């Protein structure tokens, strides 16, 4: 597969839009499992809508995914495997939309595998016969550079210096090897460079009155948002007006004397800023770790605390009905066309910029957001271990047949299994099956189509080959019959019923008749 291709590229002839959505789902598996799980629901909902149109069933624009799924299941269009896959995608997607827990790559991969079953069923039953569904394939994580080149240079130079020092030490001590062996000497402590977390390498060291503060690489050009510094907010605003201390790289190596750039500030302000920078760096390290552990997640931050923003939380409107005690903030947000939670800035302290809005008001909003997160998480059940018993009636396909005085039920767990059981029954009763197969049994309830369901050769009326094929060897003639299995259960039932009727058998299909 070349760099530009993606797994579901093969469905572009059927639906370019569906293929592109599938591409984005594939890309999001390892970047944001939550995003993949949430939007997989929309993908399968679109597929079910296409099935409903193809089958000319009544459409309801207000119907949710579960409604579409239940309707198709009740009318016999879903075999158990597909029904269960649809329910899994729906249920895990609902969790991802509502629940703030961490979603794993493994869960996104399970959903991806369920999507494959659904797409395969859809393409084989409703797509062009010349589309070949490839075997299932796990997606591959995108391999990105772990370290920026500048950071990598720093790490390599530090390690090279360490290596050089160790070689010099070894050379100096070699002449004293015998005495050193007799005398126990302490082993020099080797500095440890943290591995596996790009960005934490120290890029600068700030000092103040003999104290040191290490700045990690990922913060080298971080914006020093004044609202993040409770006691130094005004000081930073004034420094910013003088083009000083706006970003981390603008800070001098020694903070002593920084106050001299603005009037009416003292060395005490330098000291307070130094202490608050220490807190700022520690908070940013926690946030970075959180972002690396939960890739693709959207967060709201307030001081050292945070909230996971789910799709459901993002939809909540910023109104007095949803949030109490902060009318002025809500009014000003709405005036700025910030009308839902998802439009809020991820750094909530910024909201203190609004008129008559202090940090206490922002804290009220944050606490109410946290409460809503907990409420929505508790309202969504975990994925069900089993599908409810109300769907059990479709655990097998079956038809009732009557020949003379005998009544029989022909069953199958799939369309090919049902057909083979039906063909066995026909031959057991010595009905003239071979002549019908020789003519070719057209797929569906009529003989007007171009596709065969069963024939002596795996070629359709329009000269195209069978797409998905099973075979059945006649017990009476020894002839091999070819079965086209790229169909849905409803067509499978109708085709077998049509064949049996032509052979003089009375047929009833309860699964279809009960839904007309």
């Amino acid at each position: 597969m070349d760099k530009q291709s993606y797994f579901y590229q093969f469905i572009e002839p059927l639906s370019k839009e569906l293929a592109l959505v599938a591409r984005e789902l594939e890309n999001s598996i390892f970047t944001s499992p939550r995003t993949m799980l949430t939007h997989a629901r929309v993908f399968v909902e679109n597929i079910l809508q296409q099935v409903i149109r193809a089958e000319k069933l009544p459409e309801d624009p207000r119907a949710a995914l579960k409604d579409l799924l239940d309707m198709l299941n009740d009318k016999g269009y879903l075999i158990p495997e597909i029904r269960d896959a649809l329910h899994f995608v729906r249920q895990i997607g609902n969790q991802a939309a509502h629940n703030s827990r961490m979603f794993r790559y493994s869960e996104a991969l399970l959903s991806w595998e369920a999507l494959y079953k659904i797409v395969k069923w859809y393409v084989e039953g409703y797509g062009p016969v010349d589309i070949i569904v490839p075997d299932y394939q796990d997606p591959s994580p995108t391999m990105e550079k772990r370290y920026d080149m500048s950071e990598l240079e720093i790490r390599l130079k530090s390690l090279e210096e360490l290596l050089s020092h160790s070689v010099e030490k070894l050379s100096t001590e070699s002449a004293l090897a015998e005495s050193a062996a007799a005398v126990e000497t302490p082993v020099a402590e080797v500095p440890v460079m943290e591995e596996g977390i790009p960005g934490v390498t120290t890029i600068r060291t700030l000092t103040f009155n003999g104290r040191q503060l290490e700045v990690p690489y990922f913060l080298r050009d971080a914006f020093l948002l004044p609202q993040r510094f409770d006691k130094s907010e005004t000081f930073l605003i004034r420094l910013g007006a003088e083009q000083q201390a706006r970003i981390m790289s603008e800070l001098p190596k020694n903070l002593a004397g920084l106050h001299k750039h603005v009037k009416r500030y003292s060395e005490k302000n330098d000291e307070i800023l130094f202490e608050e920078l220490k807190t700022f760096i520690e908070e940013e390290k926690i946030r970075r770790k959180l972002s690396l552990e939960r890739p693709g997640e959207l967060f709201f931050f307030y001081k050292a605390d945070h909230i996971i923003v789910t799709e459901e939380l993002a939809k909540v409107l910023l109104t007095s009905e949803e949030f109490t005690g902060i009318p002025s903030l809500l009014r000003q947000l709405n005036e700025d066309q910030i009308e839902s939670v998802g439009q809020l800035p991820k750094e909530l302290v910024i909201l203190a910029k609004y008129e008559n809005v202090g940090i206490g008001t922002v804290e009220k909003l944050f606490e109410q957001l946290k409460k809503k997160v907990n409420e929505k998480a508790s309202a969504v059940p975990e994925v069900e271990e089993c599908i409810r018993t109300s769907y059990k009636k479709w655990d097998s396909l079956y038809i009732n047949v009557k020949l003379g005085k005998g009544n029989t039920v022909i069953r199958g767990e799939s369309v090919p299994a049902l057909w083979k059981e039906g063909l066995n029954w026909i031959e057991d009763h010595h009905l003239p099956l071979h002549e019908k197969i020789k003519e070719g049994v057209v797929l569906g309830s009529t003989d007007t189509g171009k596709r065969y369901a069963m024939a002596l050769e795996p070629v359709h009326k329009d000269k195209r080959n069978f797409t998905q094929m099973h075979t059945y060897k006649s017990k009476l003639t020894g002839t091999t019959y070819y079965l086209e299995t790229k169909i849905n259960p409803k067509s499978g039932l109708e085709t077998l019923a049509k064949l049996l009727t032509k052979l003089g058998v009375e047929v009833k299909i309860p699964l279809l008749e009960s839904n007309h």
Side-chain angles (χ1 to χ4, degrees), residues 361-376:
T361 302
V362 177
E363 188 168 353
K364 280 184 182 179
L365 172 63
F366 183 77
E367 291 302 321
Q368 292 183 62
L369 286 169
K370 283 177 70 174
K371 186 178 179 182
K372 288 186 181 295
V373 168
N374 295 330
E375 287 172 353
K376 292 184 181 299

Side-chain angles (χ1 to χ4, degrees), residues 411-422:
R411 297 182 180 275
E413 293 299 318
S414 64
V415 170
L418 176 71
W419 279 356
K420 289 176 183 179
E421 288 298 321

Side-chain angles (χ1 to χ4, degrees), residues 50 122 132 151 474 487 490:
Q50 297 298 332
Y122 173 59
I132 305 298
E151 183 182 9
S474 170
I487 61 172
K490 178 174 179 286

Side-chain angles (χ1 to χ4, degrees), residues 104-119:
R104 302 183 298 277
Y105 296 138
S106 59
E107 291 174 292
L109 287 169
L110 285 173
S111 183
W112 178 253
E113 196 165 351
L115 286 180
Y116 173 77
K117 296 176 184 177
I118 296 163
V119 171

Side-chain angles (χ1 to χ4, degrees), residues 197-389:
I197 308 179
V200 300
T201 308
T202 298
I203 185 71
R204 295 184 67 202
T205 301
L206 303 180
T207 62
F208 181 81
N209 287 350
R211 286 178 286 170
Q212 292 188 332
L213 182 59
E214 293 183 344
V215 179
Y217 184 85
F218 78 94
L219 288 177
R220 62 180 298 171
D221 292 315
F223 177 56
L224 300 177
L225 182 67
Q227 289 93 332
R228 290 283 299 278
F229 300 80
D230 289 346
K231 299 175 182 177
S232 304
E233 180 177 353
T234 306
F235 185 37
L236 281 172
I237 292 172
R238 297 282 176 83
L239 286 169
E242 299 298 325
Q243 299 188 33
Q244 298 288 333
R246 295 166 298 180
I247 58 177
M248 188 71 78
S249 56
E250 280 187 341
L251 290 172
K253 180 179 179 180
N254 188 346
L255 263 62
L258 183 62
H259 67 280
K260 295 178 181 178
H261 291 283
V262 291
K263 296 178 180 178
R264 293 187 291 277
Y265 284 90
S266 66
E267 189 171 347
K268 184 64 177 176
N269 297 105
D270 299 338
E271 182 179 6
I272 293 171
L273 176 59
F274 183 86
E275 291 299 325
E276 289 197 304
L277 278 168
K278 182 178 179 181
T279 301
F280 173 79
I281 290 172
E282 290 306 312
E283 287 180 359
E284 286 299 309
K285 284 182 177 179
I286 293 170
R287 293 181 181 188
R288 179 175 175 79
K289 184 172 183 290
L290 191 65
S291 298
L292 291 172
E293 289 175 349
R294 303 186 62 155
E297 298 277 21
L298 175 61
F299 301 96
F300 283 153
F301 294 110
Y302 178 71
K303 297 185 178 179
D305 207 348
H306 72 274
I307 291 172
I308 306 296
V309 185
T310 63
E311 183 182 75
E312 196 65 22
L313 178 63
K315 293 177 182 176
V316 175
L317 296 179
L318 294 168
T319 63
S320 55
E321 288 77 19
E322 294 285 352
F323 299 93
T324 60
I326 52 173
S328 178
L329 175 58
L330 294 174
R331 176 180 54 78
Q332 293 179 78
L333 286 171
N334 294 164
E335 288 173 354
D336 282 350
Q337 296 184 320
I338 299 176
E339 298 172 345
S340 63
V341 169
Q343 295 173 299
L344 290 170
K346 72 174 185 178
E347 186 61 76
L348 291 179
V349 294
I350 292 175
L351 300 179
K353 70 176 185 178
Y354 285 107
E355 187 177 355
N356 299 321
V357 174
I359 203 67
T361 302
V362 177
E363 188 168 353
K364 280 184 182 179
L365 172 63
F366 183 77
E367 291 302 321
Q368 292 183 62
L369 286 169
K370 283 177 70 174
K371 186 178 179 182
K372 288 186 181 295
V373 168
N374 295 330
E375 287 172 353
K376 292 184 181 299
S378 62
V380 182
E382 290 296 310
V383 176
E384 299 167 16
E385 290 290 327
C386 302
I387 303 302
R388 296 170 302 170
T389 55

Side-chain angles (χ1 to χ4, degrees), residues 10-11 13-15 18 47 50-51 54-55 118-133 443 451 460 462 464 467-468 484 486-488:
F10 69 89
I11 65 173
L14 179 59
S15 171
L18 200 64
I47 287 178
Q50 297 298 332
V51 171
E55 297 291 352
I118 296 163
V119 171
K120 188 172 189 290
W121 162 77
Y122 173 59
V123 172
E124 291 177 354
Y126 299 94
V129 294
D130 56 347
I131 294 183
I132 305 298
V133 179
L443 180 64
R451 296 179 66 199
H460 291 293
D462 59 4
R464 294 190 179 188
T467 306
Q468 301 291 331
E484 168 64 88
K486 184 181 176 182
I487 61 172
N488 61 54

